[in-house]
Amino acid sequence: MSRWIVLVTPVGGVAAEASSVRTLAEFEGSAEEAMARFAKEVNSYDLDVTKVKRREVFKCSDRSYFVRVNGRLSQFEYFFQLAELVADTKSADLPDTIS
């Protein structure tokens, strides 16, 4: 079973002032389970928005999306990524480094 994280980075609008990468979720599962969880996060994230009026989702790749959320008074833009753990120095199942 693979380990996954869902990352979000504010890239535009008011939320960009705190432009740091946030880990939204970390979990184990199959690739299909990870994609389902990723879709849920992309389609529901509105931490900074008071009242969602519109959500636009742009697919950049299978594991990254750009999302624009319009609130009552402001617009926010986020970049979402799904990442799979591929190296871990504490796991016998994974290499210590990638090549």
Side-chain angles (χ1 to χ4, degrees):
M1 192 122 346
S2 296
R3 289 205 43 83
W4 304 87
I5 58 172
V6 176
L7 303 169
V8 62
T9 306
V11 294
V14 178
E17 294 172 9
S19 62
S20 61
V21 176
R22 300 176 192 168
T23 301
L24 292 182
E26 188 168 343
F27 55 92
E28 290 186 8
S30 67
E32 295 80 19
E33 292 167 329
M35 288 304 294
R37 177 82 179 262
F38 184 46
K40 179 183 172 212
E41 295 291 346
V42 167
N43 290 316
S44 65
Y45 185 80
D46 60 6
L47 178 68
D48 300 308
V49 184
T50 307
K51 182 178 179 183
V52 176
K53 298 235 179 224
R54 180 180 183 188
R55 177 185 306 274
E56 296 174 281
V57 179
F58 299 87
K59 184 175 183 177
C60 301
S61 71
D62 286 341
R63 294 187 181 176
S64 65
Y65 288 85
F66 175 82
V67 178
R68 184 179 298 136
V69 182
N70 291 301
R72 188 170 52 91
L73 299 173
S74 301
Q75 176 176 287
F76 301 87
E77 296 173 336
Y78 306 98
F79 185 67
F80 288 84
Q81 294 176 293
L82 175 65
E84 180 180 10
L85 179 65
V86 295
D88 185 347
T89 60
K90 293 186 179 184
S91 175
D93 297 335
L94 296 171
D96 291 345
T97 60
I98 59 172
S99 53

